[in-house]
Amino acid sequence: MQRRCDRNRKRSKRRGIYCPIHGCYLDSVSQKYQIFADKPGQLQQRGMSRRNALILVANRTAVPLEGEWLEAFWCEHCQQTKWYHVRKRDDHAYEISAAPQELWQQATGVISSHGNPSVSEFTRRSARDITYQTLTDFQVVN
C-alpha cells in the first residue's frame, strides 16, 4: 500500500540505479554517452530479425540504440568511479553492467581510454606534469 504523500508527489524522483555489488544508490558523475549499432549482428543481439537488421544498417550507417548508454557512476561504499552500460527498462527500471571494451567503439563523444594516437609521449607526459614550466623545460644544450 502506498502512503498518501507518495501518491501525491508531483516532482520527479531520482533514477533508481543501484550498485550491482553493494546495493547502494549510485550517483552519476558524467553525461550519458549514446550507443550506436553499425553492424547487423549488434541489432540481432537486441532481438531484431536478421533481415530487418541488414536492411536498417544498409540504409543508415549507424543506428542509435534506444534506451542504452554508457555512464560513469560514483559508489559511496567502495569510493570509486566506474563506467557502466545502462539499459532502461519499462517504468523507471534500469539494468546496469560493467561497460565492456566493445561498447566504447559504439559510443559517440567518448574519449579513448588509450589516448589519442596522434599525440606524442612527450606531450602526454608534459600534460600530466604538475610542475611543467614551459620554457625552462626546453633547455638549450651547447
Side-chain angles (χ1 to χ4, degrees):
M1 182 84 183
Q2 272 188 327
R3 295 184 321 190
R4 184 172 178 220
C5 60
D6 291 336
R7 281 193 316 240
N8 294 335
R9 184 181 166 125
K10 300 294 182 202
R11 285 179 282 159
S12 61
K13 295 174 179 63
R14 292 169 68 171
R15 291 185 296 165
I17 299 177
Y18 299 95
C19 180
I21 300 164
H22 306 107
C24 60
Y25 180 79
L26 291 175
D27 292 309
S28 176
V29 293
S30 76
Q31 67 184 42
K32 295 177 182 179
Y33 291 101
Q34 182 72 38
I35 299 174
F36 291 85
D38 57 351
K39 296 182 180 99
Q42 296 165 342
L43 294 171
Q44 285 179 276
Q45 288 174 344
R46 288 159 176 85
M48 189 176 281
S49 69
R50 177 174 163 72
R51 182 174 179 263
N52 287 343
L54 286 167
I55 291 169
L56 196 56
V57 171
N59 290 336
R60 306 164 94 190
T61 50
V63 180
L65 299 175
E66 296 296 323
E68 290 189 39
W69 64 89
L70 292 177
E71 191 171 356
F73 291 98
W74 170 259
C75 177
E76 187 68 35
H77 192 271
C78 56
Q79 299 285 306
Q80 282 185 322
T81 297
K82 293 182 183 174
W83 284 92
Y84 290 103
H85 174 216
V86 183
R87 288 187 180 136
K88 184 175 183 181
R89 299 291 175 214
D90 53 322
D91 67 325
H92 304 291
Y94 297 91
E95 178 186 315
I96 66 168
S97 59
Q101 190 64 35
E102 308 87 58
L103 282 181
W104 290 99
Q105 283 95 31
Q106 290 177 246
T108 58
V110 178
I111 298 170
S112 173
S113 59
H114 302 293
N116 187 345
S118 65
V119 175
S120 70
E121 185 59 35
F122 174 79
T123 305
R124 244 186 236 120
R125 205 173 37 246
S126 299
R128 285 192 303 258
D129 190 9
I130 296 170
T131 61
Y132 186 66
Q133 298 172 355
T134 60
L135 292 177
T136 57
D137 289 337
F138 296 96
Q139 295 177 355
V140 178
V141 178
N142 290 335

